Amino acid sequence: MPFKTISVIGLGYIGLPTAAMFASRKINVIGVDINQHAVDTINRGEIHIVEPELDAIVSRAVASGHLKAVTTPEPADAFLIAVPTPFKEEYQPDLTYIESACHAIAPVLKKGDLIILESTSPVGTTEQMAQWLSAARPDLSFPQTHGEDADINLAHCPERVLPGHVVRELVANDRVIGGMTPKCSARCVDLYRIFVEGECIITNARTAEMAKLTENSSRDVSIAFANELSLICDKLDIDVWELISLANRHPRVNILQPGPGVGGHCIAVDPWFIVSKTPEEARLIRTAREVNDSKPEWVIGKIKTTITDFLLANPQRNAADIKLACFGLAFKPDIDDLRESPAMAITSALTKELPVQVLVVEPNIESLPAALVNRVELIETDTALNIADIIVLLVDHKEFKLLDKALLQNKLLVDTKGIWR
Ligand code: SAJ
């Protein structure tokens, strides 16, 4: 059965680009979000998030009538759920958004519909969704009780796109498709084939859930290894970046890069979904999280030592008139996303813990986030280079990599990304 109308629940960093992709292939798409501002913005043909190339695709899709946004679900042939899955206390997964999405779509479901969970989720969530949905719609049958004959098909197909490259990766990346039955998987493949050019590989729902968590945990563990090396090398007076580049010349070694910590809403969160299900077994995965989460504190310690060094070398100065410039606030290079950013956490801690004046350079934003307003000054790179006594490099944005190193000569530096060595 062809998909005439597709509904995407959650119009954020994944849902909106996915909705726009289907609409660009001339499928009618109903995007659903509880955020009225997001809905109004999209219906004007604009976007409420920053992602290269997305604005033009959304604008065309809305203008052609293939994409509309609403706050309450309407009937469709397929529902894709792309809502957040954060964690709550004790790093336990918070599935409230998925549960709410199930309750929201339940009244409009009809026989033959396909439901796909795209949100990164702990193992067992797709089966849990099936339970919530069947409790809400006892008149319909679901795969956990009716297998291939179920009225509703359900699958997990995790998103795997890299922020900043979403439009290209949505089309090009392979998709892991975990249906609750082979028929659920086959229908899910038919749906993604509408715009996905990568391979669609079929497995079951639990394996698909675990595959996504494994990808991000693997990256987290690799970064933790690099971050641990940076602490070891600091103690042993070795340049960690030189060390890594040398070790990486081995044909079977590929170490990632240390930094001020791991940020974003994926790599720092998803490993906990494995730990929460299997706390006894997931020892390395938990330790990697702890290593990466403790890196900002270590950086703050380095900054404090640098201030002490500065005062020793300049006894006529006092701490209150030291100007310390933080270069970068985003959670990774060349984006404007400040959420869950170690650079933000470090900058904020500096304003609380130190008497110095904190300045910020962040080429990707125009105004300070609320958490830093009245606590730091947002200034241009040139100004910072003129007036700062100490410069702390927190994000390796391209503008900072291209800086003339001669301009840094008379400054004390804390370079957490090793770009000014
Ligand atoms: N980082 C390092 N050192 C490195 C690489 C990254 O410290 O060598 C830091 C970054 O600075 C950043 C954090 O890790 O703070 C995460 O950045 P990232 O670029 O590794 O990943 P995300 O969070 O932007 O996107 C990841 C991707 N997953 C993988 O590469 C396995 C993406 O493909 C996923 O779709 C996304 O998570 C997601 O939504 O789960």
Side-chain angles (χ1 to χ4, degrees):
M1 209 181 354
F3 299 98
K4 287 199 186 117
T5 305
I6 296 173
S7 182
V8 178
I9 317 296
L11 296 173
Y13 280 85
I14 301 301
L16 180 57
T18 305
M21 279 303 167
F22 281 115
S24 73
R25 302 299 191 271
K26 313 233 173 299
I27 305 277
N28 288 326
V29 180
I30 304 168
V32 185
D33 203 292
I34 50 173
N35 175 349
Q36 185 71 52
H37 164 73
V39 166
D40 294 341
T41 309
I42 294 161
N43 285 333
R44 284 198 307 271
E46 295 164 14
I47 60 176
H48 61 295
I49 56 175
V50 177
E51 182 59 46
E53 297 172 50
L54 182 62
D55 46 355
I57 302 175
V58 169
S59 161
R60 278 198 299 272
V62 173
S64 71
H66 289 101
L67 174 64
K68 71 166 184 178
V70 294
T71 51
T72 312
E74 296 176 9
D77 305 315
F79 295 85
L80 281 89
I81 298 181
V83 296
T85 42
F87 55 65
K88 43 191 185 186
E89 336 62 72
E90 307 283 318
Y91 300 113
Q92 291 304 310
D94 177 0
L95 301 184
T96 352
Y97 295 99
I98 297 184
E99 189 174 2
S100 302
C102 288
H103 287 301
I105 62 169
V108 296
L109 288 180
K110 59 182 186 321
K111 198 173 168 176
D113 285 354
L114 170 67
I115 303 169
I116 300 168
L117 174 64
E118 281 219 4
S119 313
T120 305
S121 303
V123 172
T125 307
T126 312
E127 292 158 24
Q128 170 68 71
M129 272 178 63
Q131 302 287 351
W132 284 325
L133 289 163
S134 75
R137 288 295 302 268
D139 55 317
L140 291 170
S141 63
F142 289 81
Q144 72 275 29
T145 48
H146 288 66
E148 296 289 50
D149 300 326
D151 293 333
I152 304 291
N153 293 135
L154 246 137
H156 179 53
C157 179
E159 62 79 14
R160 303 153 96 198
V161 289
L162 194 67
H165 301 269
V166 170
V167 170
R168 176 172 56 76
E169 290 207 354
L170 265 181
V171 174
N173 287 5
D174 294 342
R175 301 294 302 226
V176 172
I177 294 188
M180 283 186 71
T181 66
K183 183 175 165 198
C184 298
S185 298
R187 293 198 65 212
C188 192
V189 172
D190 288 346
L191 182 83
Y192 283 106
R193 275 271 155 262
I194 293 173
F195 72 79
V196 171
E197 288 168 14
E199 238 182 282
C200 292
I201 305 135
I202 290 178
T203 178
N204 58 38
R206 294 176 79 83
T207 311
E209 286 159 348
M210 188 63 183
K212 169 64 196 240
L213 302 180
T214 301
E215 289 159 15
N216 281 354
S217 298
S218 156
R219 195 154 167 87
D220 197 44
V221 170
S222 304
I223 300 169
F225 182 67
N227 275 332
E228 186 165 295
L229 279 178
S230 73
L231 271 55
I232 294 169
C233 287
D234 187 67
K235 272 248 159 89
L236 300 180
D237 200 18
I238 291 169
D239 179 333
V240 67
W241 287 280
E242 184 193 359
L243 173 85
I244 290 174
S245 79
L246 293 174
N248 281 349
R249 283 174 176 264
H250 184 286
R252 285 172 297 283
V253 173
N254 187 13
I255 303 168
L256 292 181
Q257 297 301 307
V262 168
H265 353 278
C266 310
I267 299 211
V269 175
D270 303 351
W272 290 116
F273 294 172
I274 301 181
V275 176
S276 74
K277 285 270 175 201
T278 50
E280 299 281 309
E281 293 76 14
R283 291 185 297 157
L284 182 62
I285 296 171
R286 177 203 295 272
T287 304
R289 275 288 65 247
E290 288 166 355
V291 168
N292 287 333
D293 272 355
S294 63
K295 190 73 192 286
E297 205 47 56
W298 185 86
V299 173
I300 292 167
K302 278 275 144 210
I303 296 168
K304 286 180 178 167
T305 312
T306 308
I307 292 172
T308 309
D309 292 347
F310 181 86
L311 288 171
L312 282 174
N314 302 278
Q316 76 287 6
R317 300 280 302 271
N318 53 55
D321 59 42
I322 292 180
K323 291 189 169 61
L324 182 147
C326 293
F327 275 45
L329 283 182
F331 89 83
K332 63 179 198 172
D334 308 322
I335 58 166
D336 69 337
D337 195 342
L338 311 184
R339 294 174 302 164
E340 313 302 330
S341 165
M344 271 291 289
I346 292 168
T347 306
S348 175
L350 293 179
T351 65
K352 289 183 191 147
E353 293 177 26
L354 299 175
V356 300
Q357 299 171 40
V358 181
L359 314 166
V360 166
V361 181
E362 176 44 85
N364 299 295
I365 59 170
E366 259 146 41
S367 56
L368 283 170
L372 292 180
V373 170
N374 296 330
R375 290 170 55 198
V376 304
E377 208 184 321
L378 182 65
I379 57 172
E380 298 293 325
T381 311
D382 292 349
T383 317
L385 290 170
N386 274 331
I387 65 174
D389 303 300
I390 301 173
I391 296 186
V392 181
L393 187 282
L394 293 172
V395 190
D396 46 341
H397 289 313
K398 59 178 182 310
E399 293 85 348
F400 303 156
K401 285 189 191 158
L402 294 172
L403 268 185
D404 176 3
K405 290 199 193 77
L407 299 171
L408 300 166
Q409 246 167 21
N410 299 323
K411 313 285 177 193
L412 281 191
L413 301 178
V414 178
D415 178 358
T416 69
K417 292 301 294 181
I419 61 170
W420 291 335
R421 293 176 302 124

